[in-house]
Amino acid sequence: MSSVSKALELMTFFSGARPEIGLSEMRRLAGRDKATTYRHLQALQVFGLIEQNPETKNYRLGPALLQLAQLREQTVPRKAAARTAIQRLAEVTGETTHVSVMSGNTLYALDSCESEKHSTRAIIDIAIFPLHATASGLCALAFGTADLLEIAQADLKPFTASTPLTQDALATAVADVRRSGFGKSLGTFEADIHSLSAPLFDQDGHFAGAVSVASVATRFDPALERTIMQGLVAASRDITKNWGGRVPQDIEHKWEATLGGHTEMEHAT
């Protein structure tokens, strides 16, 4: 990795659960020596990409990211273009919905919406989706660029007892997504959460992200699974269209085969 890549990688360790990181912890997370980690943090701080809490001396994401995020959304309005669709999807399924966006080799969380139907529900509190352990990630491996699978195979980190930890297990999971058109994570990232995802595409027909539904495992049954899949089809079409793309015909055919030809769903009003 170049020095620039190594510096920028440090920013991926921040999350909602870990908004501030000290130098020693950052060194451990990055697997680098203290001097190198400090130098990279200083470079990020100069450009406002991170800042130091004056009280704790820990690092946190910086104000420059606000400007960049606003500019990105103004010029490529991904989040706003997906919001209505995931709200509708949450109403239809009664479960937590979310959308992710692909950037380079990383699948980032973009937005989420919790249904108020149940008091117990999935909470989306991660910034980056592991490619091998999440339904969104499996969609990326199935419909994204070919090098993603090799990248995922090199970092088969265990999250639960069900996480695929061998190349064969991951290849089987990805093959199922390519066959059905839906990513499926049954307790592979969080043991008590079952998730389904559908791919999203950009104006060039390339994989651009995923729309997903995360359900508490005890509520997940064949009827809910079918409702979620039908909702995902509608949401994927809407978001892909809003992102300037069109769902490829081969994906439409996979959905039709999986759902027995029934891929139309009336939008909730």
Side-chain angles (χ1 to χ4, degrees):
M1 296 173 65
S2 69
S3 295
V4 173
S5 298
K6 289 180 179 179
L8 292 175
E9 185 190 24
L10 299 182
M11 296 172 61
T12 67
F13 296 121
F14 294 101
S15 67
R18 190 165 53 202
E20 293 191 2
I21 304 176
L23 176 58
S24 296
E25 184 181 5
M26 184 67 83
R27 179 203 62 77
R28 179 184 59 80
L29 291 170
R32 304 170 197 166
D33 63 77
K34 192 171 184 179
T36 300
T37 304
Y38 179 72
R39 186 171 68 252
H40 291 156
L41 288 170
Q42 288 294 100
L44 294 173
Q45 193 170 3
V46 167
F47 291 97
L49 297 176
I50 64 170
E51 64 181 10
Q52 213 170 3
N53 185 322
E55 296 182 358
T56 66
K57 303 303 180 183
N58 291 336
Y59 294 92
R60 60 194 180 193
L61 295 176
L65 293 174
L66 293 174
Q67 180 182 3
L68 293 174
Q70 291 172 356
L71 178 60
R72 164 70 183 187
E73 190 61 20
Q74 289 172 1
T75 56
V76 187
R78 292 285 196 250
K79 185 173 181 177
R83 186 62 184 173
T84 298
I86 63 170
Q87 287 177 328
R88 183 184 301 121
L89 184 58
E91 293 172 2
V92 170
T93 63
E95 303 293 344
T96 298
T97 62
H98 59 96
V99 62
S100 55
V101 61
M102 198 79 203
S103 179
N105 298 325
T106 304
L107 190 63
Y108 293 98
L110 182 66
D111 198 9
S112 64
C113 182
E114 296 177 20
S115 169
E116 297 182 358
K117 183 176 181 179
H118 304 285
S119 58
T120 303
R121 50 185 180 262
I123 305 296
I124 308 302
D125 59 356
I126 60 173
I128 296 175
F129 290 92
L131 298 180
H132 70 294
T134 61
S136 303
L138 290 176
C139 273
L141 296 180
F143 305 116
T145 56
D147 62 324
L148 291 178
L149 184 57
E150 182 177 346
I151 292 171
Q153 289 173 337
D155 187 24
L156 295 176
K157 178 182 176 181
F159 291 97
T160 73
S162 300
T163 306
L165 299 180
T166 67
Q167 292 186 6
D168 287 345
L170 183 58
T172 298
V174 172
D176 183 66
V177 180
R178 288 174 176 158
R179 176 193 58 78
S180 68
F182 297 99
K184 183 180 292 188
S185 166
L186 303 183
T188 57
F189 182 63
E190 295 179 275
D192 57 348
I193 299 295
H194 288 186
S195 298
L196 293 173
S197 297
L200 303 171
F201 300 90
D202 62 20
Q203 66 275 11
D204 297 317
H206 298 147
F207 176 82
V211 57
S212 310
V213 176
S215 170
V216 174
T218 54
R219 287 198 294 270
F220 194 83
D221 59 22
L224 178 58
E225 180 178 23
R226 185 174 183 83
T227 297
I228 290 173
M229 285 183 173
Q230 290 174 327
L232 286 172
V233 168
S236 176
R237 288 171 178 163
D238 286 349
I239 297 172
T240 294
K241 180 180 179 181
N242 290 342
W243 287 5
R246 182 176 182 180
V247 176
Q249 279 301 306
D250 66 315
I251 301 297
E252 292 279 5
H253 294 157
K254 294 176 192 294
W255 289 340
E256 290 176 5
T258 300
L259 292 169
H262 302 289
T263 60
E264 294 298 328
M265 184 194 77
E266 291 185 2
H267 289 174
T269 58

